Amino acid sequence: MAILLPRKPTLICMAVLGPICVVDGIVKQDTKEILAMLAVFIFAIVTLIMDSRKKKKLISTKTREHNNSLNSNR
């Protein structure tokens, strides 16, 4: 699944399926499944947060550069 989908939808799927599989692991009392899906869930959430911060930083840098170029032309 991760190979066929683009990055962001894959991370969203991982963030949704992670807790579902953790609950399934708790019901089955399977420690490996709980730990693996907890790691997948944490990775997905952290990656989504870091991507959004990077995108905000890039947008603010571009707007700052755009504003500076407008001011320098006057």
Side-chain angles (χ1 to χ4, degrees):
M1 177 176 73
I3 295 172
L4 301 176
L5 290 174
R7 180 178 172 86
K8 192 164 186 172
T10 303
L11 290 171
I12 292 170
C13 288
M14 289 168 49
V16 170
L17 293 176
I20 294 170
C21 292
V22 168
V23 171
D24 183 51
I26 291 171
V27 170
K28 292 181 191 174
Q29 297 179 347
D30 186 6
T31 308
K32 290 180 184 178
E33 183 177 356
I34 295 169
L35 293 176
M37 286 301 122
L38 197 59
V40 166
F41 176 69
I42 291 170
F43 170 77
I45 296 299
V46 169
T47 306
L48 284 170
I49 291 170
M50 296 304 287
D51 284 351
S52 68
R53 284 186 180 177
K54 189 187 313 181
K55 192 173 190 178
K56 285 181 186 176
K57 186 176 179 182
L58 184 64
I59 290 171
S60 67
T61 305
K62 284 187 177 183
T63 57
R64 199 173 328 124
E65 288 174 358
H66 180 68
N67 290 340
N68 288 341
S69 66
L70 287 178
N71 293 336
S72 63
N73 289 336
R74 289 183 182 181

